[in-house]
Amino acid sequence: MSVQKRKRELLQLARAICPKATIEHSGHHLQITIFGPNGSRKVFCASTAGDHRDTKNVKRDILAAARAIGLIANQNEPPASQR
């Protein structure tokens, strides 16, 4: 898979979670930046996929970053009405 194709694929994945996501090429890695109500987070990944699990791992990292900046509610926390 080419780097440009991977950038498009990962940007589509990131924008499904955060519409303001951006992606940049930095050396041999890609930097995905997502923005939320509590700031922004950067997720780094290889510019070429290593194996079939790579996209799953990047998605996991993006979701974790989205939880950290308040885009997604943490599944382990009770709803605000029950606190």
Side-chain angles (χ1 to χ4, degrees):
M1 174 185 308
S2 71
V3 174
Q4 290 300 321
K5 184 175 179 181
R6 179 153 167 86
K7 280 176 73 171
R8 282 193 307 269
E9 178 184 288
L10 293 177
L11 185 59
Q12 183 180 15
L13 177 69
R15 286 198 173 151
I17 297 166
C18 173
K20 293 183 181 180
T22 62
I23 192 165
E24 297 174 15
H25 197 113
S26 59
H28 294 289
H29 292 82
L30 297 176
Q31 174 185 318
I32 303 165
T33 308
I34 59 172
F35 303 92
N38 299 335
S40 65
R41 283 286 173 109
K42 295 177 183 175
V43 176
F44 292 90
C45 65
S47 59
T48 57
D51 59 14
H52 67 280
R53 297 170 295 175
D54 189 68
T55 304
K56 284 183 179 181
N57 294 338
V58 173
K59 183 177 180 180
R60 178 203 60 213
D61 294 343
I62 292 171
L63 287 171
R67 281 188 204 93
I69 60 172
L71 284 174
I72 300 173
N74 192 346
Q75 296 173 355
N76 298 328
E77 290 183 14
S81 61
Q82 295 179 1
R83 290 185 209 161

